[in-house]
Amino acid sequence: MVYLRLVGGATGCFGALALAAALLLCVAAADRSASRDEAVTCVIGKVTEEQQKGFGDGDVEITVYHHALRCPGGYPDALTKRERLGAKGGKIRVTFDSARRVAPEVNGDSSPWPFALLAVLFLAAATAGARRAA
């Protein structure tokens, strides 16, 4: 709101949206870079497919796959992804936080760099808009 007030006009509106998007992308990057200090090999149990309504205009539907897992120690017991991780009986390597503060991930799926790069681009756009308006 401060950015919108200081810059004003359409530039202020788009700049404020860019700042909000950058903030959300920073949160996503932080989640992806959170420590997942344990790794286990899990056996995939039942895989169920579900159609969900996507966000935005139109009747876009996305497919999500719910994977029941059998892991040593009993955790994690499930993963939900937009892609099928394997067939029933297959094995996957899963990393998770032993304190269970962040969601488990498939080993190697948690790179924060795409989100961080997009956040920098949105911040650069907001800064350029503020400089142009000044």
Side-chain angles (χ1 to χ4, degrees):
M1 293 305 293
V2 172
Y3 183 95
L4 184 60
R5 288 275 189 179
L6 291 175
V7 176
T11 303
C13 181
F14 287 115
L17 289 174
L19 284 176
L23 178 63
L24 292 174
L25 287 164
C26 286
V27 170
D31 177 64
R32 287 288 182 106
S33 64
S35 175
R36 290 174 172 86
D37 56 351
E38 298 286 332
V40 292
T41 300
C42 302
V43 177
I44 300 172
K46 184 178 178 183
V47 180
T48 57
E49 183 178 318
E50 178 185 359
Q51 298 294 322
Q52 292 183 347
K53 187 121 174 119
F55 295 105
D57 293 333
D59 291 329
V60 177
E61 284 192 358
I62 58 172
T63 303
V64 294
Y65 297 91
H66 303 284
H67 303 82
L69 300 176
R70 290 189 311 271
C71 301
Y75 183 80
D77 59 357
L79 273 179
T80 299
K81 292 288 194 181
R82 289 182 68 175
E83 67 274 351
R84 182 182 282 268
L85 299 175
K88 182 177 181 177
K91 294 183 179 183
I92 58 170
R93 189 98 171 130
V94 179
T95 57
F96 63 93
D97 175 26
S98 58
R100 301 181 183 183
R101 293 173 294 210
V102 293
E105 284 286 341
V106 175
N107 194 28
D109 268 3
S110 60
S111 175
W113 295 111
F115 295 106
L117 179 61
L118 281 173
V120 168
L121 291 174
F122 275 102
L123 287 172
T127 303
R131 288 190 81 193
R132 194 175 70 133

